[in-house]
Amino acid sequence: MPAVRGDGMRGLSVFISDIRNCKSKESEIKRINKELANIRSKFKGDRTLDGYQKKKYVCKLLFIFLLGHDIDFGHMEAVNLLSSNKYSEKQIGYLFISVLVNTNSDLIKLIIQSIKNDLQSRNPTHLNLAMQCIANIGSKEMAEAFGYDIPKLLVSGDTMDVVKQSAALCLLRLFRTSQEMIPSGEWTSRIIHLLNDQHMGVVTAATSLIDALVKKNPDEYKGCISLAVSRLSRIVTASYTDLQDYTYYFVPAPWLSVKLLRLLQNYSPPDDPGVRGRLNECLETILNKAQEAPKSKKVQHSNAKNAVLFEAISLIIHNDSEPNLLVRACNQLGQFLSNRETNLRYLALESMCLLATSEFSHEAVKKHQEVVILSMKMEKDVSVRQQAVDLLYAMCDKSNAEEIVQEMLNYLETADYSIREEMVLKVAILAEKYATDYTWYVDVILNLIRIAGDYVSEEVWYRVIQIVINRDDVQGYAAKTVFEALQAPACHENMVKVGGYILGEFGNLIAGDQRSSPLVQFQLLHSKYHLCSPMTRALLLSTYVKFVNLFPEIKHNIQEVFKQHSNLRSADAELQQRASEYLQLSVIASTDVLATVLEEMPAFPERESSILAVLKKKKPGRVPENEIREGRSPNPALATNHNDSIVSHAKPSAVSANASADLLGLSTPPANQPTAPSNTGMLVDVLGDMYGGQGGQAQQNSSFTAAQSYNPKKFVCKNNGVLFENDLVQIGVKSEFRQNLGRIALFHGNKTPFPLVNYETTVSSPGDLASKLVIQMKPMDSVLEAGAQKLQVLNGECVEDYIDAPSMNISFIYNNVPQKITIKLPLTINKFFEPTEMNGESFFARWKNLGGDKQRAQKIFKASPPMDLASARTKVMGFGMQLLDGIDPNPDNFVCAGIIHARAAQIGCLLRLEPNKQAQMYRLTVRSSKETVSQEICDLLADQFE
Amino acid sequence: MQFMLLFSRQGKLRLQKWYVAHPDKLKKKITRELITTILARKPKMCSFLEWKDVKIVYKRYASLYFCCAIEQDANELLTLEIIHRYVELLDKYFGSVCELDIIFNFEKAYFILDELLLGGEIQETSKKNVLKAIAAQDLLQEEETPQGFFEDHGLG
């Protein structure tokens, strides 16, 4: 047993020895339980326990707790110790409480009372114990109880230095717990002036506090800048003997220096030229000192010195205003890159990442590229290699992208598993961002899949497909390259996915070559089919059906495959369904329909790269430093991401609930029903909305329950969906509008096992509507075969503004019974809106101009409960006008602008919808140059909410 | 600083100091994971690592690991020197400190740490001042503590 200093508690030492002598876990537990029983009985029975004994038992409990056992008693005894007038007993009491007490409400009151007494004590040692306890626990109750006393202690003239030190940090802890208790007003300047205190310990503690206060309220504490700079200046120019005990291994006051440099990073460079000059001198001095010979060989010396240096470099980077300092900093870090201390290499790589983002030092950082690449390859410690990868990513620009990407690809073959996924993302982002030649981009991504296929996340392969689809200059190359990559006997499943998708879209571009003829392409893909997961198989089935359109000559081979998988032999319901639907599609649909349905994917809308978003999510806060370059090397104009569509192609499993609903639907119509998804009515949706929109699902479901579903109101705010459905027919619609022209595709589906004869459609327009909205339409065949679906296209032209909408009358004979259906066509005037983007100023100017009685329309109406702003938003957005966010000071209000296109005129239109949540009422105001338009628009939209 | 842990090469926790409030369960989990992570690292490796949302700075002295979790913007090198300063203080106080000193006098190890760091921030960097404060505490204790017969004979 080692010697015990101070007051030994022998009982405690004996107990600790006993525990250490236990040979097994069991005997240790036995010994502990014995002790716990002993202490419990002492605390319960013996009322004459003196302070010393209490202290000793409390200490034993503490030891048992630290061994990892739970302690559920003794808290009260510890609290009792707090009021002992013996320091040693009080101290143990406080220790127990700070280690063991969570914010247990009953005790906390007692504890706070004891602390209060000690805070008022004249004895500084008691005072310090109390403050240590506050700083250790720092609960909300404490912030409330001591929010006034502690600041007073901190700035009062007669407080001892050591108490001030504790008070500063104590206040800091309470401030972190409860931000409201921020000393302000006269306190501010007194706290700031602690930076001038004689006592270095006080300044150090105060700087920590001020740093936190500044973060909350930078303006109020602005005065600290010049004081901090002066203080820093005095330290860096001091010789190491000046500061006596605050010099650490020949480095004057490293802790205070670092804190001051941190504090200054809360502000931009000082405005005052004098202060700014002095600060730059300090920074230069620190950089100069780094070049001096070390005053000691001890690692403590170099650590302390470099700690200050790194903090100074952080400040230089933060200020980002002195090119000279930035370049010097970069050179300094460059030296560290080959230092033998791993820690320094790690930190240098980390700091350089930040330097790479400054336009002043980016070029300087690039000079170290070779060393950094070596670090990535050679460092023994993966965390250092990781930093090197981060730095390469940050220093990458157009000039070095090919080399860096190549090096990263090379390294990826042997890279640690822990960093592969992130590296893959980084390579993908760099390749995309700096590609001038998209064949290079395609090569890089396919290499990624080849080298590290398991780590290529969905986002990465979605992305390459998006880019290939949006850039027709690379499609042929992509098709050729994936075709070659698929030749490998063992290729990664992700390669099959990309290959399948790309050949399905662009396989025709390489089909001229006998080596990659349609049949060869198909057989190559199908040779991988059985090795793949259901998700990939589903994707391949989609590819095959696309081949039916691209290569009619191999239709039969493909139909064979569909036949094989459309029955029970294919265990996966989704695959079975796809196979049978595609089979029917290929059998029944005419070439024209096939060409429409299986058309090439439309270009994806541009957005931020989806991969970048993933990387940001993975490493919040410390990712894409690779941003600064944007200005100089403009992001290649490439289209981005529309994840949903790709997902719907690739990810059927996500919607299996929906898929099973489809199967249910199949049981009603006869077996030779042409296309299974006809209960959505829209062939066009086979690859699109089928798995996507919520709306589609809701409709499908409703079609099983209601005998007839018809709600024309819904189509005011949307263009696609099932317009009408009953037991006999289903009418789907898909419409497009451009300027004053519209094209409406109606899909007439026969749900019965019998043909519908004398099938006739006519359009009727009330009043003079026929002249205002001209509609042309091809007549339909008079027979709609059992289970068939026929497309009918209507073209509409808006000649002048109108109200209401035309209807379609459909008549046919089913089972010798004549049937008649009238449906409103989704051709309301709002369809001819062109959304108009405008800023607040011009909006309000126009709004004011359209203030006349003849231009306004207003409606106040009750929300059909409950009011739901999210769905209101969807409706407003579907209405056709531009939703202008941020214009109305009330964020709940919707403000929109749009132009109605008619042949005769264009009519500008503004709209404001104000929800009143309390009253559950809406107020809708529409202003346009024409009264009838205002009124109609107002009615149409209001109708959506009633 | 968010917390400091001292543990042995065998993975036994010797001291824990938390500057942020966590439930006991979480503390145990963090401790367990971190000890495993650090013990698995090789000697020449970097003393810093990114771990969850904090930075870990650790250093081994003889059989003991000292490990601190610090905020993202804190200074790693100087954290190493906080550890070193603490070791120096323990060493000075106990006279060539060893793991056993910390086991048997854990309360002292806490008291010394509380003088050096308060609420996770450095309070007093002067070795002299900290030792003075600790000596004053010891003096107070010696004045207060009557060493009774039982205590002297290990029967307390």
Side-chain angles (χ1 to χ4, degrees), chain A residues 411-427:
Chain A
Y411 173 60
L412 200 51
E413 307 220 24
T414 53
D416 311 70
Y417 297 113
S418 58
I419 63 174
R420 277 195 189 184
E421 187 178 350
E422 199 183 309
M423 278 195 77
V424 166
L425 286 175
K426 287 189 161 148
V427 170

CSV table of all heavy atoms in Angstrom, one decimal, chain A residues 411-427:
chain,number,residue,atom,x,y,z
A,411,TYR,N,-5.3,4.8,-55.3
A,411,TYR,CA,-5.2,4.5,-53.8
A,411,TYR,C,-6.5,3.7,-53.4
A,411,TYR,O,-6.4,2.8,-52.5
A,411,TYR,CB,-5.1,5.8,-53.1
A,411,TYR,CG,-5.2,5.6,-51.6
A,411,TYR,CD1,-4.3,4.8,-50.9
A,411,TYR,CD2,-6.2,6.2,-50.8
A,411,TYR,CE1,-4.4,4.6,-49.6
A,411,TYR,CE2,-6.3,6.0,-49.5
A,411,TYR,CZ,-5.4,5.2,-48.8
A,411,TYR,OH,-5.5,5.0,-47.5
A,412,LEU,N,-7.6,4.0,-54.0
A,412,LEU,CA,-8.8,3.3,-53.6
A,412,LEU,C,-8.7,1.8,-53.6
A,412,LEU,O,-9.3,1.1,-52.8
A,412,LEU,CB,-9.9,3.8,-54.5
A,412,LEU,CG,-11.4,3.6,-54.1
A,412,LEU,CD1,-11.6,4.2,-52.7
A,412,LEU,CD2,-12.3,4.3,-55.1
A,413,GLU,N,-7.8,1.3,-54.5
A,413,GLU,CA,-7.7,-0.2,-54.6
A,413,GLU,C,-7.3,-0.8,-53.3
A,413,GLU,O,-7.6,-1.9,-53.0
A,413,GLU,CB,-6.8,-0.6,-55.7
A,413,GLU,CG,-7.1,0.1,-57.0
A,413,GLU,CD,-6.9,-0.9,-58.2
A,413,GLU,OE1,-7.0,-2.1,-58.0
A,413,GLU,OE2,-6.7,-0.4,-59.3
A,414,THR,N,-6.4,0.0,-52.5
A,414,THR,CA,-5.9,-0.6,-51.3
A,414,THR,C,-6.4,0.2,-50.1
A,414,THR,O,-5.9,-0.1,-49.0
A,414,THR,CB,-4.4,-0.6,-51.3
A,414,THR,OG1,-4.0,0.8,-51.6
A,414,THR,CG2,-3.8,-1.5,-52.3
A,415,ALA,N,-7.3,1.2,-50.3
A,415,ALA,CA,-7.6,2.1,-49.2
A,415,ALA,C,-8.3,1.3,-48.1
A,415,ALA,O,-8.9,0.2,-48.3
A,415,ALA,CB,-8.5,3.2,-49.7
A,416,ASP,N,-8.3,1.9,-46.9
A,416,ASP,CA,-8.9,1.3,-45.7
A,416,ASP,C,-10.4,1.3,-45.9
A,416,ASP,O,-11.0,2.2,-46.5
A,416,ASP,CB,-8.7,2.1,-44.5
A,416,ASP,CG,-7.2,2.4,-44.3
A,416,ASP,OD1,-6.7,3.2,-45.2
A,416,ASP,OD2,-6.6,1.9,-43.4
A,417,TYR,N,-11.0,0.2,-45.4
A,417,TYR,CA,-12.5,0.1,-45.6
A,417,TYR,C,-13.2,1.3,-45.0
A,417,TYR,O,-14.2,1.7,-45.5
A,417,TYR,CB,-13.0,-1.2,-45.0
A,417,TYR,CG,-12.4,-2.4,-45.7
A,417,TYR,CD1,-11.5,-3.3,-45.1
A,417,TYR,CD2,-12.7,-2.6,-47.0
A,417,TYR,CE1,-11.0,-4.3,-45.7
A,417,TYR,CE2,-12.2,-3.7,-47.7
A,417,TYR,CZ,-11.3,-4.6,-47.1
A,417,TYR,OH,-10.7,-5.6,-47.7
A,418,SER,N,-12.6,1.8,-43.9
A,418,SER,CA,-13.3,2.8,-43.2
A,418,SER,C,-13.5,4.1,-44.0
A,418,SER,O,-14.3,4.9,-43.7
A,418,SER,CB,-12.6,3.1,-41.8
A,418,SER,OG,-11.3,3.5,-42.1
A,419,ILE,N,-12.6,4.3,-44.9
A,419,ILE,CA,-12.7,5.6,-45.6
A,419,ILE,C,-13.1,5.4,-47.1
A,419,ILE,O,-13.2,6.4,-47.8
A,419,ILE,CB,-11.4,6.4,-45.6
A,419,ILE,CG1,-10.2,5.7,-46.2
A,419,ILE,CG2,-11.1,6.8,-44.1
A,419,ILE,CD1,-9.0,6.6,-46.3
A,420,ARG,N,-13.4,4.2,-47.5
A,420,ARG,CA,-13.7,4.0,-48.9
A,420,ARG,C,-14.9,4.7,-49.4
A,420,ARG,O,-14.9,5.3,-50.4
A,420,ARG,CB,-13.8,2.5,-49.2
A,420,ARG,CG,-12.5,1.9,-49.4
A,420,ARG,CD,-12.6,0.5,-50.0
A,420,ARG,NE,-11.3,-0.2,-50.0
A,420,ARG,CZ,-11.1,-1.3,-50.5
A,420,ARG,NH1,-12.1,-2.0,-51.1
A,420,ARG,NH2,-9.9,-1.9,-50.4
A,421,GLU,N,-16.0,4.6,-48.6
A,421,GLU,CA,-17.2,5.1,-49.1
A,421,GLU,C,-17.1,6.6,-49.3
A,421,GLU,O,-17.5,7.2,-50.3
A,421,GLU,CB,-18.4,4.8,-48.1
A,421,GLU,CG,-19.7,5.2,-48.7
A,421,GLU,CD,-20.9,4.9,-47.8
A,421,GLU,OE1,-20.7,4.2,-46.8
A,421,GLU,OE2,-22.0,5.4,-48.1
A,422,GLU,N,-16.5,7.3,-48.3
A,422,GLU,CA,-16.3,8.7,-48.5
A,422,GLU,C,-15.4,9.1,-49.7
A,422,GLU,O,-15.7,10.0,-50.4
A,422,GLU,CB,-15.7,9.3,-47.2
A,422,GLU,CG,-15.9,10.7,-47.0
A,422,GLU,CD,-15.3,11.2,-45.8
A,422,GLU,OE1,-15.5,10.6,-44.7
A,422,GLU,OE2,-14.5,12.2,-45.9
A,423,MET,N,-14.4,8.3,-49.9
A,423,MET,CA,-13.5,8.5,-51.0
A,423,MET,C,-14.3,8.4,-52.3
A,423,MET,O,-14.1,9.2,-53.2
A,423,MET,CB,-12.3,7.6,-51.0
A,423,MET,CG,-11.2,8.0,-50.1
A,423,MET,SD,-9.7,7.1,-50.4
A,423,MET,CE,-9.1,7.9,-51.9
A,424,VAL,N,-15.1,7.4,-52.4
A,424,VAL,CA,-15.9,7.2,-53.6
A,424,VAL,C,-16.7,8.4,-53.9
A,424,VAL,O,-16.7,8.9,-55.0
A,424,VAL,CB,-16.8,5.9,-53.5
A,424,VAL,CG1,-17.8,5.9,-54.6
A,424,VAL,CG2,-15.9,4.7,-53.5
A,425,LEU,N,-17.4,8.9,-52.9
A,425,LEU,CA,-18.2,10.1,-53.0
A,425,LEU,C,-17.3,11.3,-53.5
A,425,LEU,O,-17.7,12.0,-54.4
A,425,LEU,CB,-18.8,10.5,-51.7
A,425,LEU,CG,-20.0,9.7,-51.2
A,425,LEU,CD1,-20.5,10.2,-49.9
A,425,LEU,CD2,-21.1,9.8,-52.2
A,426,LYS,N,-16.2,11.4,-52.9
A,426,LYS,CA,-15.3,12.6,-53.3
A,426,LYS,C,-14.8,12.5,-54.7
A,426,LYS,O,-14.8,13.4,-55.5
A,426,LYS,CB,-14.1,12.6,-52.3
A,426,LYS,CG,-14.6,13.1,-50.9
A,426,LYS,CD,-13.4,13.5,-50.0
A,426,LYS,CE,-14.0,14.4,-48.9
A,426,LYS,NZ,-13.3,14.2,-47.6
A,427,VAL,N,-14.4,11.3,-55.1
A,427,VAL,CA,-13.9,11.1,-56.5
A,427,VAL,C,-15.1,11.4,-57.4
A,427,VAL,O,-14.9,12.1,-58.4
A,427,VAL,CB,-13.4,9.6,-56.7
A,427,VAL,CG1,-13.2,9.4,-58.2
A,427,VAL,CG2,-12.2,9.4,-55.9
